[in-house]
């Protein structure tokens, strides 16, 4: 029987900003990620949070938004409509970045609140493809 050795875990801290409570009807308007650290067996090594980072501001995907949610980000929706990254392109760039920084390790997303950030990120990764 072949014994598989466990890969180290690479923790990636993610934060997203959205203009509403759920993805689809509302938009993820920015997200950032930073390598937080690496767990290898019983050993954890913290990373410099400024060393390996990723950030994009996205073009909204719908007309709908909640003004109070948008205000939390401090981002200008009109500017994002003109200058924000196309979501499919940004997700492809993010996938490539995760693969690069986690080479040889299992990437693990961490966030607070993880349920909110994960929902938007997961939905965008599944539904966005580069145009």
């Amino acid at each position: 029987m072949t014994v598989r050795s466990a890969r180290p875990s690479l923790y990636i801290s993610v934060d997203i900003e959205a203009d509403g409570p759920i993805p689809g009807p509302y938009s993820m308007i920015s997200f950032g990620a930073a390598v937080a650290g690496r767990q290898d067996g019983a050993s954890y090594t913290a990373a410099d949070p400024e060393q390996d980072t990723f950030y994009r501001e996205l073009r909204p995907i719908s007309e709908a938004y909640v003004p109070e949610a948008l205000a939390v980000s401090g981002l200008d929706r009109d500017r994002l409509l003109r200058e924000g990254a196309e979501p499919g392109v940004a997700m492809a760039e993010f996938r490539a970045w995760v693969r690069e920084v986690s080479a040889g390790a299992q990437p693990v997303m961490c966030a607070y609140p993880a349920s909110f950030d994960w929902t938007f990120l997961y939905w965008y990764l599944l539904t966005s493809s580069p145009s």
Side-chain angles (χ1 to χ4, degrees):
M1 174 185 229
T2 304
V3 177
R4 282 182 49 182
S5 59
R7 291 190 299 167
S9 296
L10 185 79
Y11 291 93
I12 300 173
S13 180
V14 175
D15 184 49
I16 73 105
E17 297 298 334
D19 63 10
I22 58 172
Y26 301 100
S27 304
M28 178 169 67
I29 53 176
S30 72
F31 73 106
V35 172
R38 183 182 181 98
Q39 179 84 41
D40 195 353
S43 175
Y44 178 80
T45 306
D48 175 352
E50 295 181 9
Q51 183 68 38
D52 289 311
T53 64
F54 184 93
Y55 178 75
R56 293 292 182 277
E57 293 179 354
L58 305 175
R59 183 173 349 118
I61 61 169
S62 75
E63 301 278 326
Y65 68 96
V66 176
E68 296 83 2
L70 180 61
V72 169
S73 71
L75 295 172
D76 181 302
R77 186 175 170 84
D78 290 332
R79 183 183 64 76
L80 293 175
L81 286 167
R82 289 188 316 272
E83 301 172 9
E86 194 278 313
V89 171
M91 294 300 104
E93 292 169 345
F94 181 62
R95 282 185 202 94
W97 179 82
V98 169
R99 284 187 193 105
E100 180 183 324
V101 298
S102 66
Q106 175 65 46
V108 178
M109 179 193 150
C110 49
Y112 185 83
S115 58
F116 181 78
D117 295 85
W118 177 85
T119 300
F120 272 91
L121 193 61
Y122 183 69
W123 189 88
Y124 269 73
L125 285 166
L126 285 178
T127 62
S128 298
S129 59
S131 305

